[in-house]
């Protein structure tokens, strides 16, 4: 694999030398599960939709039917998706950390729950989860069937419109998750940054915290990102290929 081989071996060395490992993931780690990313090329979700048109509370208030139908379309994609070897490698890394007395935290911006379905246990979801829906006004979480909703917006038994249990632009992140993610980022000595453009805050601030604390930052991404200049090591390869190789090298 040429250059990525050398970076994979170096990444494994840094992870083996770490006592506290944090992983920060974005939409790119689910790309090889068939879940479109936001900014990637012409297949990116946002290439067809203006994010500010749909991923905001104002958009839902303006057109709850259209916004909830778009999210239900994405929910169906997620339900059909399967964890890929990248997700599974991070679950194996978590096992290795537990087995060797290291601390491990997985922080994700993703709302697809593929990390948990791939075996990860300690997952901090900064932007919520698209499989969860709640009352637009009450915030009450309402169990929903996997099937596509019959009408849009979906409603609770009492008729209250439901919205996806995710964080939209302009909304605060869940405070407990944000505090836990920032604490893990500020105290880790190695951070694996996988599949994110590093463009969305305050989530991407986790990378800044690790970098500022002097942690080794390893970026796994086929492309340059806004976080690349903070990386100690650049692994320019797709996650489903690079992560299994890195974790195999870590476990020797
Ligand atoms: C808040 C859920 C305030 C919705 C999402 C100017 C400067 C700084 C900040 C701002 C600003 N203007 C506005 C803001 C704030 C704004 C923000 O950061 N905007 C950005 C666009 C500039 N942030 C917010 O609004 C946040 N809230 O600030 O609240 C506040 C304060 C007090 C009180 C009230 C409010 C909320 C942000 C959360 C938004 N919700 N998701 C949905 O899913 O529809 S964010 C959305 O983008 C995704 O969830 C994802 O988490 C996030 C980032 O995207 P990425 O995951 O990085 O994905 P992307 O497509 O960008 O990149 C994919 C990467 O993968 C690429 O690099 C690609 O190369 C790589 N890749 C592709 N294939 C692979 C791969 N890598 C590896 N392997 C592969 N195979």
């Amino acid at each position: 694999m040429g250059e990525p081989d050398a970076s994979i071996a170096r990444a494994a060395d840094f992870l083996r030398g770490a006592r506290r490992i944090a992983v920060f993931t974005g939409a790119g780690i689910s790309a090889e599960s068939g879940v479109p990313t936001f900014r990637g090329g012409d297949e990116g979700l946002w290439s067809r939709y203006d994010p500010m048109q749909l991923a905001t509370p104002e958009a839902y208030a303006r057109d709850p039917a259209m916004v909830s139908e778009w999210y239900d379309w994405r929910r169906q994609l997620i339900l059909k998706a399967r964890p890929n070897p990248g997700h599974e490698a991070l679950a194996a890394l978590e096992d290795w950390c537990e087995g060797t007395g290291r601390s491990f935290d997985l922080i994700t911006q993703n709302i697809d729950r593929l990390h948990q379905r791939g075996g990860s246990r300690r997952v901090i979801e900064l932007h919520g989860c698209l499989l969860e829906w709640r009352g637009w006004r009450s915030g009450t979480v309402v169990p929903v069937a996997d099937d596509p909703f019959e009408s849009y917006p979906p409603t609770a038994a009492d008729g209250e419109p439901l919205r996806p249990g995710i964080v939209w632009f302009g909304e605060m992140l869940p405070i407990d998750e944000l505090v836990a993610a920032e604490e893990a980022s500020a105290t880790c000595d190695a951070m694996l940054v996988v599949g994110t453009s590093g463009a969305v805050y305050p989530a991407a601030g986790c990378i800044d915290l690790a970098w500022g604390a002097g942690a080794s930052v390893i970026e796994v991404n086929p492309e340059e990102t806004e976080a690349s200049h903070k990386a100690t090591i650049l692994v320019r390869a797709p996650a489903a290929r690079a992560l299994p190789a890195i974790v195999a090298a870590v476990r020797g």
Side-chain angles (χ1 to χ4, degrees):
M1 205 162 32
E3 184 268 332
D5 268 347
S7 61
I8 281 173
R10 283 191 69 220
D13 285 345
F14 275 98
L15 291 171
R16 257 203 309 276
R19 302 305 307 162
R20 305 180 60 79
I21 293 175
V23 181
F24 182 77
T25 66
I29 193 167
S30 297
E32 287 153 290
S33 294
V35 179
T37 63
F38 292 82
R39 298 172 180 81
D42 60 3
E43 89 291 345
L45 274 184
W46 288 358
S47 63
R48 286 194 291 283
Y49 298 91
D50 173 354
M52 293 311 158
Q53 291 306 309
L54 297 178
T56 67
E58 293 77 14
Y60 182 92
R62 193 171 50 244
D63 191 344
M66 197 261 268
V67 172
S68 57
E69 183 163 10
W70 183 59
Y71 276 103
D72 195 21
W73 171 71
R74 289 177 59 192
R75 179 172 75 112
Q76 299 307 317
L77 272 180
I78 284 169
L79 287 166
K80 292 183 185 67
R82 294 279 166 272
N84 65 56
H87 295 107
E88 290 159 352
L90 292 181
L93 183 62
E94 181 175 9
D95 293 341
W96 177 79
C97 285
E98 274 182 18
T100 56
R102 290 172 171 81
S103 79
F104 178 89
D105 290 281
L106 172 52
I107 304 157
T108 189
Q109 302 172 91
N110 299 341
I111 59 174
D112 57 29
R113 206 130 292 167
L114 285 175
H115 282 302
Q116 294 90 330
R117 290 171 54 197
S120 291
R121 295 179 299 286
R122 283 177 53 77
V123 182
I124 300 170
E125 291 177 325
L126 288 179
H127 292 158
C129 173
L130 186 44
L131 304 183
E132 190 177 278
W133 289 65
R134 61 174 191 251
W136 163 243
R137 278 180 297 279
S138 65
T140 309
V141 174
V142 172
V144 293
D146 285 354
D147 309 318
F149 297 121
E150 284 162 12
S151 61
Y152 299 98
T155 56
D158 63 2
E160 184 184 16
L162 300 179
R163 58 161 285 177
I166 61 177
V167 180
W168 276 323
F169 286 102
E171 292 188 320
M172 263 314 276
L173 277 59
I175 193 63
D176 293 346
E177 282 77 4
L178 182 57
V179 167
E182 293 183 339
E183 168 69 19
S185 302
T187 56
C188 70
D189 39 41
M191 176 176 272
L192 202 46
V193 178
V194 186
T196 183
S197 55
V200 173
Y201 282 81
C206 291
I207 308 169
D208 302 332
L209 284 168
W211 181 51
S216 310
V217 175
I218 301 157
E219 179 177 66
V220 176
N221 195 319
E223 293 172 19
E224 178 93 5
T225 73
E226 295 187 31
S228 298
H229 68 283
K230 300 165 196 161
T232 320
I233 303 173
L234 298 170
V235 180
R236 285 282 174 256
R241 191 147 57 88
L243 290 177
I246 290 171
V247 176
V250 163
R251 297 166 72 172

